[in-house]
Amino acid sequence: VLRFPKCTTINQKADLAYCIAQLKVNEKGIKCLNDNFKLYKDALFDEDVLKNFMSFIAKAKKNATKPETKQTLQELEEKFTECAAAGMENVNASKKAARAKKRAARRVARKKVEWDESEEEENAEASDPEPEDFEEVDEENRPANAQPVKSERSSTTKRRSGRSRSAALTA
């Protein structure tokens, strides 16, 4: 029983519980299980571990003669069932949380792709405006006595970066 905290996997704990179930049942073993309950209570959610401890309790009930021992066995069995139920709830909650985390990660990835696509469309629209549209708007809003204005983004003029439009397209 004292080896339970040193076990790293649930399989090791199940193997140790099996070995305990194979031991000869006596009052000293029952007392040891009851006193060191906190060392193995975290492993009771596993079916194999619980089954092995319950088989030990069943054997001990058959051989118990003292009323104190029977009462200790009854309390120990109740502890086992309570901890097993709580452990299963924790396991189910962690599985549910893992599934929710996985769904959220997929949802975020999907939204990121959609956002990137919409950002690319916006950038494409913003970086390649139609120069004729600007000239038409300028002509409509231009006062009657104003001179026509050359488009800032025509193919012959240079951009602010110093490159011409044709050089920017090839780069």
Tab-separated table of all heavy atoms in Angstrom, residues 44-83:
chain	number	residue	atom	x	y	z
A	44	LEU	N	-8.761	4.917	-7.393
A	44	LEU	CA	-9.993	4.118	-7.333
A	44	LEU	C	-10.944	4.375	-8.506
A	44	LEU	O	-11.905	3.638	-8.682
A	44	LEU	CB	-10.716	4.364	-6.012
A	44	LEU	CG	-10.026	3.782	-4.782
A	44	LEU	CD1	-10.753	4.200	-3.515
A	44	LEU	CD2	-9.939	2.283	-4.871
A	45	PHE	N	-10.705	5.409	-9.298
A	45	PHE	CA	-11.571	5.648	-10.450
A	45	PHE	C	-11.395	4.567	-11.506
A	45	PHE	O	-12.305	4.303	-12.290
A	45	PHE	CB	-11.290	7.024	-11.072
A	45	PHE	CG	-10.001	7.088	-11.827
A	45	PHE	CD1	-9.969	6.784	-13.178
A	45	PHE	CD2	-8.823	7.440	-11.199
A	45	PHE	CE1	-8.773	6.831	-13.878
A	45	PHE	CE2	-7.632	7.497	-11.894
A	45	PHE	CZ	-7.606	7.190	-13.236
A	46	ASP	N	-10.239	3.904	-11.511
A	46	ASP	CA	-9.984	2.846	-12.484
A	46	ASP	C	-10.755	1.588	-12.092
A	46	ASP	O	-10.765	1.184	-10.926
A	46	ASP	CB	-8.480	2.548	-12.551
A	46	ASP	CG	-8.144	1.575	-13.653
A	46	ASP	OD1	-8.558	1.815	-14.799
A	46	ASP	OD2	-7.476	0.564	-13.353
A	47	GLU	N	-11.373	0.968	-13.074
A	47	GLU	CA	-12.205	-0.216	-12.809
A	47	GLU	C	-11.397	-1.379	-12.237
A	47	GLU	O	-11.859	-2.062	-11.326
A	47	GLU	CB	-12.895	-0.656	-14.103
A	47	GLU	CG	-13.930	0.305	-14.616
A	47	GLU	CD	-14.513	-0.144	-15.945
A	47	GLU	OE1	-14.406	-1.343	-16.275
A	47	GLU	OE2	-15.071	0.699	-16.639
A	48	ASP	N	-10.210	-1.594	-12.782
A	48	ASP	CA	-9.388	-2.720	-12.321
A	48	ASP	C	-8.951	-2.542	-10.872
A	48	ASP	O	-8.988	-3.482	-10.077
A	48	ASP	CB	-8.154	-2.882	-13.210
A	48	ASP	CG	-8.509	-3.311	-14.622
A	48	ASP	OD1	-9.570	-3.952	-14.788
A	48	ASP	OD2	-7.728	-3.009	-15.539
A	49	VAL	N	-8.527	-1.339	-10.535
A	49	VAL	CA	-8.086	-1.067	-9.164
A	49	VAL	C	-9.256	-1.253	-8.199
A	49	VAL	O	-9.142	-1.935	-7.167
A	49	VAL	CB	-7.493	0.357	-9.045
A	49	VAL	CG1	-7.167	0.705	-7.609
A	49	VAL	CG2	-6.263	0.504	-9.912
A	50	LEU	N	-10.393	-0.674	-8.546
A	50	LEU	CA	-11.564	-0.788	-7.686
A	50	LEU	C	-12.009	-2.245	-7.547
A	50	LEU	O	-12.331	-2.705	-6.446
A	50	LEU	CB	-12.709	0.064	-8.237
A	50	LEU	CG	-13.986	0.079	-7.406
A	50	LEU	CD1	-13.728	0.711	-6.041
A	50	LEU	CD2	-15.091	0.817	-8.129
A	51	LYS	N	-12.007	-2.974	-8.643
A	51	LYS	CA	-12.416	-4.386	-8.615
A	51	LYS	C	-11.509	-5.201	-7.692
A	51	LYS	O	-11.991	-6.019	-6.903
A	51	LYS	CB	-12.382	-4.950	-10.040
A	51	LYS	CG	-12.808	-6.397	-10.151
A	51	LYS	CD	-12.748	-6.882	-11.577
A	51	LYS	CE	-11.295	-7.023	-11.948
A	51	LYS	NZ	-11.059	-7.692	-13.218
A	52	ASN	N	-10.215	-4.937	-7.763
A	52	ASN	CA	-9.273	-5.682	-6.913
A	52	ASN	C	-9.461	-5.349	-5.435
A	52	ASN	O	-9.429	-6.249	-4.587
A	52	ASN	CB	-7.837	-5.423	-7.349
A	52	ASN	CG	-7.513	-6.098	-8.652
A	52	ASN	OD1	-7.937	-7.226	-8.897
A	52	ASN	ND2	-6.784	-5.413	-9.500
A	53	PHE	N	-9.652	-4.079	-5.120
A	53	PHE	CA	-9.879	-3.715	-3.715
A	53	PHE	C	-11.220	-4.262	-3.213
A	53	PHE	O	-11.328	-4.700	-2.063
A	53	PHE	CB	-9.812	-2.196	-3.512
A	53	PHE	CG	-8.411	-1.677	-3.373
A	53	PHE	CD1	-7.878	-0.813	-4.305
A	53	PHE	CD2	-7.617	-2.059	-2.301
A	53	PHE	CE1	-6.589	-0.330	-4.174
A	53	PHE	CE2	-6.323	-1.584	-2.160
A	53	PHE	CZ	-5.813	-0.725	-3.101
A	54	MET	N	-12.236	-4.255	-4.067
A	54	MET	CA	-13.540	-4.790	-3.654
A	54	MET	C	-13.467	-6.308	-3.454
A	54	MET	O	-14.147	-6.837	-2.567
A	54	MET	CB	-14.620	-4.432	-4.684
A	54	MET	CG	-14.924	-2.950	-4.727
A	54	MET	SD	-15.368	-2.281	-3.134
A	54	MET	CE	-17.077	-2.043	-3.353
A	55	SER	N	-12.648	-6.985	-4.236
A	55	SER	CA	-12.495	-8.423	-4.015
A	55	SER	C	-11.788	-8.691	-2.687
A	55	SER	O	-12.128	-9.649	-1.980
A	55	SER	CB	-11.742	-9.087	-5.170
A	55	SER	OG	-10.402	-8.694	-5.179
A	56	PHE	N	-10.839	-7.824	-2.328
A	56	PHE	CA	-10.180	-7.950	-1.023
A	56	PHE	C	-11.199	-7.749	0.106
A	56	PHE	O	-11.220	-8.500	1.082
A	56	PHE	CB	-9.042	-6.919	-0.914
A	56	PHE	CG	-8.264	-7.013	0.365
A	56	PHE	CD1	-7.241	-7.937	0.504
A	56	PHE	CD2	-8.562	-6.192	1.444
A	56	PHE	CE1	-6.518	-8.026	1.681
A	56	PHE	CE2	-7.850	-6.279	2.622
A	56	PHE	CZ	-6.823	-7.196	2.744
A	57	ILE	N	-12.063	-6.756	-0.061
A	57	ILE	CA	-13.095	-6.482	0.953
A	57	ILE	C	-14.068	-7.658	1.051
A	57	ILE	O	-14.471	-8.061	2.153
A	57	ILE	CB	-13.860	-5.183	0.610
A	57	ILE	CG1	-12.933	-3.977	0.664
A	57	ILE	CG2	-15.061	-4.975	1.511
A	57	ILE	CD1	-12.439	-3.618	2.030
A	58	ALA	N	-14.443	-8.237	-0.101
A	58	ALA	CA	-15.363	-9.374	-0.091
A	58	ALA	C	-14.758	-10.570	0.640
A	58	ALA	O	-15.441	-11.234	1.446
A	58	ALA	CB	-15.734	-9.754	-1.519
A	59	LYS	N	-13.490	-10.826	0.382
A	59	LYS	CA	-12.816	-11.920	1.106
A	59	LYS	C	-12.733	-11.618	2.596
A	59	LYS	O	-12.920	-12.515	3.433
A	59	LYS	CB	-11.387	-12.134	0.557
A	59	LYS	CG	-11.335	-12.894	-0.738
A	59	LYS	CD	-9.935	-13.418	-1.040
A	59	LYS	CE	-9.014	-12.317	-1.485
A	59	LYS	NZ	-7.681	-12.818	-1.874
A	60	ALA	N	-12.457	-10.380	2.941
A	60	ALA	CA	-12.329	-10.007	4.354
A	60	ALA	C	-13.673	-10.121	5.070
A	60	ALA	O	-13.716	-10.505	6.249
A	60	ALA	CB	-11.786	-8.586	4.468
A	61	LYS	N	-14.776	-9.804	4.378
A	61	LYS	CA	-16.107	-9.916	5.003
A	61	LYS	C	-16.438	-11.374	5.330
A	61	LYS	O	-17.092	-11.653	6.334
A	61	LYS	CB	-17.182	-9.336	4.072
A	61	LYS	CG	-17.277	-7.831	4.111
A	61	LYS	CD	-18.444	-7.367	3.259
A	61	LYS	CE	-18.620	-5.880	3.364
A	61	LYS	NZ	-19.731	-5.410	2.539
A	62	LYS	N	-16.013	-12.269	4.475
A	62	LYS	CA	-16.276	-13.684	4.719
A	62	LYS	C	-15.534	-14.176	5.964
A	62	LYS	O	-16.041	-15.018	6.704
A	62	LYS	CB	-15.846	-14.532	3.521
A	62	LYS	CG	-16.708	-14.368	2.304
A	62	LYS	CD	-16.177	-15.220	1.169
A	62	LYS	CE	-16.957	-14.971	-0.101
A	62	LYS	NZ	-16.403	-15.709	-1.239
A	63	ASN	N	-14.330	-13.659	6.166
A	63	ASN	CA	-13.491	-14.137	7.265
A	63	ASN	C	-13.604	-13.287	8.529
A	63	ASN	O	-12.983	-13.626	9.535
A	63	ASN	CB	-12.030	-14.195	6.827
A	63	ASN	CG	-11.807	-15.168	5.694
A	63	ASN	OD1	-12.532	-16.138	5.563
A	63	ASN	ND2	-10.819	-14.901	4.865
A	64	ALA	N	-14.335	-12.187	8.464
A	64	ALA	CA	-14.416	-11.296	9.629
A	64	ALA	C	-15.291	-11.923	10.718
A	64	ALA	O	-16.394	-12.409	10.454
A	64	ALA	CB	-14.985	-9.948	9.214
A	65	THR	N	-14.774	-11.887	11.948
A	65	THR	CA	-15.527	-12.432	13.073
A	65	THR	C	-15.876	-11.342	14.086
A	65	THR	O	-16.931	-11.405	14.707
A	65	THR	CB	-14.712	-13.525	13.789
A	65	THR	OG1	-13.435	-13.014	14.164
A	65	THR	CG2	-14.517	-14.734	12.875
A	66	LYS	N	-15.034	-10.346	14.226
A	66	LYS	CA	-15.279	-9.289	15.200
A	66	LYS	C	-16.211	-8.225	14.610
A	66	LYS	O	-16.110	-7.888	13.426
A	66	LYS	CB	-13.968	-8.619	15.605
A	66	LYS	CG	-13.020	-9.540	16.347
A	66	LYS	CD	-11.786	-8.774	16.746
A	66	LYS	CE	-10.791	-9.661	17.468
A	66	LYS	NZ	-9.565	-8.944	17.816
A	67	PRO	N	-17.105	-7.672	15.423
A	67	PRO	CA	-17.994	-6.612	14.930
A	67	PRO	C	-17.224	-5.341	14.544
A	67	PRO	O	-17.630	-4.624	13.624
A	67	PRO	CB	-18.942	-6.346	16.084
A	67	PRO	CG	-18.528	-7.203	17.214
A	67	PRO	CD	-17.432	-8.083	16.771
A	68	GLU	N	-16.116	-5.060	15.234
A	68	GLU	CA	-15.307	-3.886	14.897
A	68	GLU	C	-14.738	-4.018	13.478
A	68	GLU	O	-14.710	-3.059	12.702
A	68	GLU	CB	-14.156	-3.729	15.889
A	68	GLU	CG	-14.576	-3.523	17.324
A	68	GLU	CD	-13.399	-3.708	18.293
A	68	GLU	OE1	-12.283	-4.063	17.847
A	68	GLU	OE2	-13.631	-3.506	19.482
A	69	THR	N	-14.283	-5.206	13.160
A	69	THR	CA	-13.715	-5.462	11.840
A	69	THR	C	-14.788	-5.333	10.769
A	69	THR	O	-14.544	-4.749	9.703
A	69	THR	CB	-13.085	-6.865	11.792
A	69	THR	OG1	-12.178	-7.005	12.882
A	69	THR	CG2	-12.350	-7.092	10.496
A	70	LYS	N	-15.984	-5.853	11.031
A	70	LYS	CA	-17.081	-5.752	10.075
A	70	LYS	C	-17.464	-4.294	9.833
A	70	LYS	O	-17.721	-3.889	8.696
A	70	LYS	CB	-18.292	-6.547	10.572
A	70	LYS	CG	-18.091	-8.042	10.511
A	70	LYS	CD	-19.322	-8.773	10.964
A	70	LYS	CE	-19.105	-10.284	10.918
A	70	LYS	NZ	-20.287	-11.034	11.336
A	71	GLN	N	-17.478	-3.502	10.901
A	71	GLN	CA	-17.803	-2.082	10.768
A	71	GLN	C	-16.716	-1.355	9.969
A	71	GLN	O	-17.022	-0.533	9.100
A	71	GLN	CB	-17.960	-1.446	12.146
A	71	GLN	CG	-18.383	0.007	12.083
A	71	GLN	CD	-18.502	0.634	13.469
A	71	GLN	OE1	-18.238	-0.012	14.472
A	71	GLN	NE2	-18.906	1.879	13.497
A	72	THR	N	-15.464	-1.672	10.227
A	72	THR	CA	-14.347	-1.068	9.483
A	72	THR	C	-14.441	-1.419	7.998
A	72	THR	O	-14.227	-0.563	7.136
A	72	THR	CB	-12.999	-1.537	10.050
A	72	THR	OG1	-12.944	-1.240	11.442
A	72	THR	CG2	-11.838	-0.887	9.345
A	73	LEU	N	-14.784	-2.668	7.718
A	73	LEU	CA	-14.925	-3.098	6.325
A	73	LEU	C	-16.072	-2.374	5.627
A	73	LEU	O	-15.956	-1.983	4.459
A	73	LEU	CB	-15.130	-4.608	6.247
A	73	LEU	CG	-13.899	-5.463	6.542
A	73	LEU	CD1	-14.288	-6.923	6.657
A	73	LEU	CD2	-12.855	-5.258	5.470
A	74	GLN	N	-17.182	-2.180	6.361
A	74	GLN	CA	-18.332	-1.470	5.802
A	74	GLN	C	-17.944	-0.019	5.474
A	74	GLN	O	-18.270	0.498	4.407
A	74	GLN	CB	-19.513	-1.513	6.781
A	74	GLN	CG	-20.793	-0.933	6.238
A	74	GLN	CD	-21.338	-1.750	5.089
A	74	GLN	OE1	-21.166	-2.965	5.011
A	74	GLN	NE2	-22.008	-1.065	4.173
A	75	GLU	N	-17.249	0.644	6.400
A	75	GLU	CA	-16.810	2.026	6.176
A	75	GLU	C	-15.834	2.103	5.005
A	75	GLU	O	-15.907	3.024	4.175
A	75	GLU	CB	-16.142	2.575	7.441
A	75	GLU	CG	-17.097	2.803	8.592
A	75	GLU	CD	-16.384	3.182	9.883
A	75	GLU	OE1	-15.133	3.359	9.852
A	75	GLU	OE2	-17.053	3.289	10.911
A	76	LEU	N	-14.938	1.135	4.932
A	76	LEU	CA	-13.954	1.118	3.858
A	76	LEU	C	-14.623	0.915	2.498
A	76	LEU	O	-14.269	1.576	1.515
A	76	LEU	CB	-12.932	0.007	4.124
A	76	LEU	CG	-11.612	0.055	3.373
A	76	LEU	CD1	-10.904	1.370	3.608
A	76	LEU	CD2	-10.727	-1.096	3.820
A	77	GLU	N	-15.615	0.056	2.462
A	77	GLU	CA	-16.347	-0.177	1.219
A	77	GLU	C	-17.095	1.086	0.786
A	77	GLU	O	-17.117	1.421	-0.410
A	77	GLU	CB	-17.327	-1.347	1.392
A	77	GLU	CG	-17.985	-1.774	0.108
A	77	GLU	CD	-18.842	-3.012	0.303
A	77	GLU	OE1	-19.243	-3.309	1.449
A	77	GLU	OE2	-19.098	-3.670	-0.713
A	78	GLU	N	-17.691	1.804	1.728
A	78	GLU	CA	-18.377	3.059	1.408
A	78	GLU	C	-17.384	4.101	0.875
A	78	GLU	O	-17.682	4.822	-0.085
A	78	GLU	CB	-19.096	3.599	2.645
A	78	GLU	CG	-20.313	2.794	3.043
A	78	GLU	CD	-20.912	3.238	4.374
A	78	GLU	OE1	-20.467	4.274	4.923
A	78	GLU	OE2	-21.823	2.558	4.853
A	79	LYS	N	-16.211	4.167	1.503
A	79	LYS	CA	-15.172	5.095	1.022
A	79	LYS	C	-14.779	4.753	-0.417
A	79	LYS	O	-14.600	5.643	-1.253
A	79	LYS	CB	-13.927	5.023	1.907
A	79	LYS	CG	-14.040	5.702	3.242
A	79	LYS	CD	-12.687	5.563	3.952
A	79	LYS	CE	-12.694	6.062	5.352
A	79	LYS	NZ	-11.371	5.878	6.014
A	80	PHE	N	-14.634	3.448	-0.674
A	80	PHE	CA	-14.251	3.030	-2.021
A	80	PHE	C	-15.279	3.481	-3.056
A	80	PHE	O	-14.919	4.028	-4.086
A	80	PHE	CB	-14.112	1.500	-2.102
A	80	PHE	CG	-12.862	0.955	-1.464
A	80	PHE	CD1	-12.786	-0.389	-1.142
A	80	PHE	CD2	-11.775	1.750	-1.189
A	80	PHE	CE1	-11.636	-0.913	-0.575
A	80	PHE	CE2	-10.624	1.236	-0.620
A	80	PHE	CZ	-10.564	-0.111	-0.309
A	81	THR	N	-16.552	3.239	-2.774
A	81	THR	CA	-17.584	3.593	-3.750
A	81	THR	C	-17.695	5.108	-3.929
A	81	THR	O	-17.885	5.592	-5.050
A	81	THR	CB	-18.945	3.001	-3.350
A	81	THR	OG1	-19.276	3.411	-2.019
A	81	THR	CG2	-18.936	1.488	-3.438
A	82	GLU	N	-17.557	5.868	-2.834
A	82	GLU	CA	-17.630	7.326	-2.937
A	82	GLU	C	-16.472	7.879	-3.764
A	82	GLU	O	-16.669	8.706	-4.653
A	82	GLU	CB	-17.610	7.971	-1.549
A	82	GLU	CG	-18.882	7.799	-0.760
A	82	GLU	CD	-18.761	8.314	0.669
A	82	GLU	OE1	-17.768	9.014	0.980
A	82	GLU	OE2	-19.648	8.018	1.471
A	83	CYS	N	-15.277	7.424	-3.463
A	83	CYS	CA	-14.094	7.917	-4.183
A	83	CYS	C	-14.105	7.463	-5.641
A	83	CYS	O	-13.653	8.189	-6.526
A	83	CYS	CB	-12.818	7.476	-3.498
A	83	CYS	SG	-12.508	8.393	-1.991
